Amino acid sequence: MQPLARHIWMDGRMRAWEDARVHVMAHTLHYGIGVFEGIRCYAQKSGPAAIFRLGEHVDRLVDSARCVGMQIPYGRDELIEACRTAVRENGLGDGYLRPIAIHVDGEPGLGAVNPVSVAIAAFAWGAYLGREGMEKGIRATVSSYVRHHLGSAMLRAKVCGQYTTSVLAKRLAKQNGFDEAIFCDATGYVCEGTGENLFIVRRGVLKTPPERSAILPGITRDSVLAIARAGSKELDALRIEVREEPFARDELYLADEVFLSGTAAEITPIREIDHRPIGSGTRGPVTEALQRAFFRAARGEEPAWRGWLAPVS
Ligand code: PMP
């Protein structure tokens, strides 16, 4: 693979991109017990780049590890500092961080509890679902794959192996000509995208599935809810009511607006689902207002949300 950046933080020090390697007998590679995060950093109007909601992402990484009984050999503060180092040492402005903790080689077999290695890659990465998608909206399909059952996966955790279903759903959606797949749970309630949470707007009500449903309660979802509840100059004119409430596939089709939220996807409108145009078939006013407020927050232009930013130096 072409290096995406110069250095990767790995097990306590910066290494050249090419040297951040693991053995083929790494336990995580075979069985999927590993945990990861996706974090973004943003160039600021003045001063160094800042990492968006870094503390919350590191907390989730540590929680994910606890869920699967993995001992990360670094404390919260060390991981936070390592993320800042990874951004700084690669000279990034806008970028993406991928911390990952894996069980490396040691004993073979399912029952082995091998040592844990931690790496943090940081590199420039543009709009995950395309620049055009951010403005005009993407095309999505409801997946034939069902979102993990609460009883067979750690839904609060970002566990490597749990993402096989996301990859399969995303690949199939793309093969069928769509940009993204939407998961429902086994009872038919809408859950989320393959790596994003989902919101709908209908008649002035902004809705997203509740935290206890079969979703990863995303940090961007939380930011969107906080911004929507606090209001902004554009949002206040739209008089939005916010609800965390279950809804089924028909409400997707009937929505005036649908959008995805996630660290990679940021806030991406959906303009069409299963060949049905959503609302007017383009980005809606609530989505646009939330995007504007979100990016102002990420770029340090909103004093109210400055606490979400961790400058890298
Ligand atoms: N759901 C899933 C399954 C995800 O992988 C992600 C990406 N982390 C999200 C939702 C969005 O979470 P966040 O906003 O914290 O990135």
Side-chain angles (χ1 to χ4, degrees):
M1 148 181 217
Q2 280 289 96
L4 299 178
R6 288 195 297 274
H7 308 291
I8 289 185
W9 185 96
M10 192 169 182
D11 299 326
R13 65 184 173 91
M14 296 305 287
R15 301 184 193 203
W17 181 279
E18 298 81 354
D19 297 337
R21 296 184 176 280
V22 293
H23 197 270
V24 288
M25 287 306 286
H27 188 275
T28 301
L29 200 52
H30 299 244
Y31 307 116
I33 294 285
V35 296
F36 68 100
E37 266 306 313
I39 314 177
R40 272 195 192 265
C41 60
Y42 291 94
Q44 303 294 295
K45 232 181 183 167
S46 58
I51 305 178
F52 189 70
R53 305 198 69 174
L54 177 57
E56 289 90 334
H57 281 284
V58 167
D59 286 342
R60 189 169 65 189
L61 182 73
V62 171
D63 284 350
S64 295
R66 283 180 64 193
C67 280
V68 295
M70 197 174 194
Q71 298 273 342
I72 294 188
Y74 301 97
R76 179 181 195 267
D77 292 348
E78 286 171 296
L79 293 168
I80 284 179
E81 208 37 53
C83 287
R84 297 168 79 196
T85 304
V87 171
R88 201 171 46 237
E89 295 280 313
N90 285 300
L92 290 174
D94 287 345
Y96 183 83
L97 290 87
R98 168 50 54 84
I100 185 163
I102 59 167
H103 281 297
V104 295
D105 49 318
E107 300 292 317
L110 279 167
V113 183
N114 289 348
V116 174
S117 181
V118 181
I120 303 169
F123 48 89
W125 207 24
Y128 175 59
L129 292 161
R131 210 36 17 247
E132 197 184 308
M134 295 290 269
E135 281 168 27
K136 301 208 169 121
I138 60 156
R139 299 176 58 250
T141 181
V142 175
S143 186
S144 52
Y145 288 98
V146 171
R147 176 69 181 150
H148 295 304
H149 188 274
L150 288 159
S152 58
M154 308 284 170
L155 295 179
R156 298 287 164 275
K158 282 182 73 75
V159 179
C160 297
Q162 288 177 187
Y163 278 80
T164 48
T165 321
S166 282
V167 173
L168 292 172
K170 174 107 183 170
R171 280 187 186 162
L172 184 59
K174 292 190 83 161
Q175 281 161 359
N176 288 334
F178 299 97
D179 304 303
E180 189 52 281
I182 297 168
F183 286 123
C184 295
D185 69 14
T187 56
Y189 284 111
V190 173
C191 296
E192 59 181 348
T194 58
E196 312 89 3
N197 293 113
L198 184 139
F199 287 79
I200 61 172
V201 181
R202 179 162 153 90
R203 295 181 181 152
V205 179
L206 175 70
K207 263 194 222 177
T208 193
E211 214 176 296
R212 65 173 186 284
S213 58
I215 61 165
L216 178 81
I219 292 164
T220 319
R221 172 187 179 279
D222 182 72
S223 308
V224 168
L225 288 172
I227 290 169
R229 284 179 175 136
S232 75
K233 51 179 188 275
E234 300 94 344
L235 276 169
D236 290 351
L238 298 166
R239 293 169 179 272
I240 292 303
E241 184 191 331
V242 181
R243 285 192 211 153
E244 293 176 68
E245 188 179 288
F247 53 87
R249 180 180 190 147
D250 49 5
E251 281 198 60
L252 276 182
Y253 295 156
L254 293 173
D256 302 323
E257 301 181 37
V258 180
F259 65 86
L260 296 170
S261 75
T263 297
E266 297 165 311
I267 296 177
T268 301
I270 297 183
R271 71 167 195 273
E272 190 186 303
I273 300 177
D274 295 337
H275 305 286
R276 292 159 172 81
I278 299 301
S280 56
T282 183
R283 173 175 65 183
V286 176
T287 309
E288 189 175 353
L290 285 165
Q291 278 181 323
R292 282 181 196 280
F294 174 81
F295 284 113
R296 277 204 306 271
R299 301 213 175 280
E301 293 163 19
E302 284 288 353
W305 307 118
R306 214 155 275 155
W308 283 349
L309 300 169
V312 298
S313 59

